[in-house]
Amino acid sequence: ATGTTSAAQNVTLSNGGNVELALSNITASGDFAQTNDCVTELQPGSNCTIAVTFTPTASMTRIGTLTFTDNAPDNPQTVSLIGNPSGAAAAVSPATLAFGNQTVGVTSAAQTVTVSNQGIAALNISSVSVGGTNAGDFPLVNNCGMNLNPSTSCTISVTFDPTAAGSRSAMLSISDNSPNNTQTVGLSGTGMDFMQSAASTSDTIKAGQTANYSLSVTPLNGFSQEVTFTCSGAPAQANCSVTPSMLTFTSGSSSAQTVMVSVSTTAPSALWPVLRLPEMNPWLPASALALCGLVLWLAGRRSRLAGRTRGLLRPALATAFLLLFAILLANCGSSGSSPTVVPPPLGGTPSGSYTISVTGTAGNSSHTTMLTLMVTQ
């Protein structure tokens, strides 16, 4: 089979003269190789053995020559060598794929591996896979079928999508029916990312105060992207913000940058409690408005009623207020509820322990720092 070495075949060299045969060189050309037990001076009547092997490099018939250089009259002597390759022979190119630096969570451009059948029989491909510690960082698209005819080729596309910062590596393996059975291609790349950490992750404040945290953001392995920040987990009647909300890292930068996280809380309200009346019947507002209008009209007419009508005003006012009271009483009775005292609409940020999440995002990569906020009254 192409790419494999055959069993050896022997050639015998004899000295049929009556003086020493001085051997200066023995060589084999083409896809053939030789080993021998000959000495440089072969005595008369003596012989030695040359073992010849065949390692075809292509699927066509291969021709070579075994040559002896010596002091005999017919120097040099030659032996013709012929070999016919058989079977499938797989070859891959290139032997390695290097992707260089790539941002974590961002997929690189594809690189291609070519698989060729250099034999004279079909190459049966049983599997194409990526193995190793970081195998998941190198997705592949297999464009090769299960059978590859002689003198044809196919391609496998590989991309680099690092899941973490630092050096990442894996191995592409192609299993087939060629003599060496498995072809391999080394895969490598470096993940670029950022790291964020807080100088202090906990703060205790009273409701109405603001908690402040300092967050350090460091680029790793030449990371050069924008990082945007969001904040969540603030308690009721509190607000969380990150300043600045975005950082930009330039290519080759290794210096950390800082963002400030602020959580502002609300002090308890000084408002008096509120008296909430029960739900009223729909006609109550209209009735009350009519009564109030009557009272105001009578009050406005008071100066013109003089003493003659003053006696009528008091009974009218009394009747109006009695009617309003009756409407309220009837409404309360029909609803089955009573007035309640409710707390002020703004009670301030409640006391307690809260977890604040600050997330930095660049492309598909994100990192979250957890902060603790203690609120007291």
Side-chain angles (χ1 to χ4, degrees):
T2 304
T4 63
T5 301
S6 71
Q9 294 192 41
N10 293 332
V11 173
T12 301
L13 172 64
S14 299
N15 181 1
N18 55 12
V19 296
E20 292 180 348
L21 179 67
L23 286 171
S24 58
N25 200 13
I26 302 174
T27 60
S29 66
D31 291 351
F32 302 88
Q34 63 83 27
T35 58
N36 67 80
D37 60 1
C38 298
V39 294
T40 56
E41 294 180 351
L42 191 62
Q43 298 299 318
S46 300
N47 59 62
C48 60
T49 302
I50 300 91
V52 182
T53 57
F54 174 44
T55 307
T57 59
S59 58
M60 63 187 70
T61 298
R62 314 301 286 168
I63 297 175
T65 302
L66 179 65
T67 302
F68 301 87
T69 305
D70 50 47
N71 62 342
D74 56 351
N75 171 67
Q77 296 81 39
T78 61
V79 176
S80 295
L81 308 173
I82 293 181
N84 292 305
S86 65
V92 296
S93 178
T96 60
L97 295 180
F99 289 88
N101 293 342
Q102 186 68 28
T103 301
V104 169
V106 178
T107 303
S108 72
Q111 295 193 41
T112 300
V113 173
T114 300
V115 182
S116 302
N117 182 2
Q118 297 180 351
I120 61 172
L123 179 69
N124 300 321
I125 299 175
S126 56
S127 69
V128 176
S129 62
V130 175
T133 305
N134 310 130
D137 290 5
F138 298 90
L140 64 82
V141 176
N142 179 17
N143 300 308
C144 295
M146 297 181 63
N147 297 294
L148 192 61
N149 290 325
S151 302
T152 61
S153 62
C154 60
T155 60
I156 300 169
S157 296
V158 183
T159 56
F160 179 40
D161 186 5
T163 57
S167 178
R168 317 293 285 175
S169 62
M171 186 71 71
L172 171 65
S173 298
I174 302 111
S175 298
D176 51 54
N177 65 333
S178 62
N180 52 351
N181 189 252
T182 301
Q183 280 56 244
T184 60
V185 177
L187 309 175
S188 64
T190 301
M192 300 187 301
D193 202 1
F194 65 95
M195 177 181 66
Q196 62 183 42
S197 59
S200 175
T201 59
S202 180
D203 198 4
T204 301
I205 60 172
K206 289 185 176 182
Q209 296 179 334
T210 298
N212 294 302
Y213 308 85
S214 176
L215 208 63
S216 178
V217 184
T218 306
L220 303 176
N221 301 311
F223 175 82
S224 57
Q225 271 200 322
E226 292 180 347
V227 182
T228 58
F229 298 91
T230 57
C231 185
S232 62
Q237 299 189 39
N239 180 62
C240 183
S241 61
V242 183
T243 306
S245 61
M246 181 180 69
L247 293 177
T248 300
F249 293 94
T250 58
S251 178
S253 173
S254 60
S255 300
Q257 299 188 42
T258 302
V259 295
M260 297 300 299
V261 180
S262 299
V263 184
S264 58
T265 60
T266 303
S269 174
L271 295 177
W272 289 96
V274 177
L275 178 65
R276 177 179 294 166
L277 294 176
E279 183 180 358
M280 296 183 179
N281 290 329
W283 52 269
L284 178 59
S287 302
L289 182 61
L291 288 174
C292 290
L294 174 61
V295 171
L296 291 175
W297 181 79
L298 289 174
R301 297 280 296 172
R302 181 176 179 179
S303 61
R304 288 179 290 175
L305 290 175
R308 176 175 62 85
T309 59
R310 187 170 301 172
L312 298 174
L313 178 61
R314 291 176 182 172
L317 290 174
T319 300
F321 284 114
L322 285 174
L323 181 57
L324 178 60
F325 177 77
I327 293 171
L328 289 171
L329 185 62
N331 181 77
C332 293
S334 62
S335 65
S337 60
S338 58
T340 57
V341 177
V342 297
L346 297 176
T349 302
S351 300
S353 176
Y354 303 95
T355 298
I356 309 298
S357 300
V358 182
T359 301
T361 303
N364 296 325
S365 176
S366 64
H367 298 280
T368 299
T369 301
M370 312 302 288
L371 306 173
T372 301
L373 173 65
M374 297 291 297
V375 179
T376 62
Q377 296 294 334

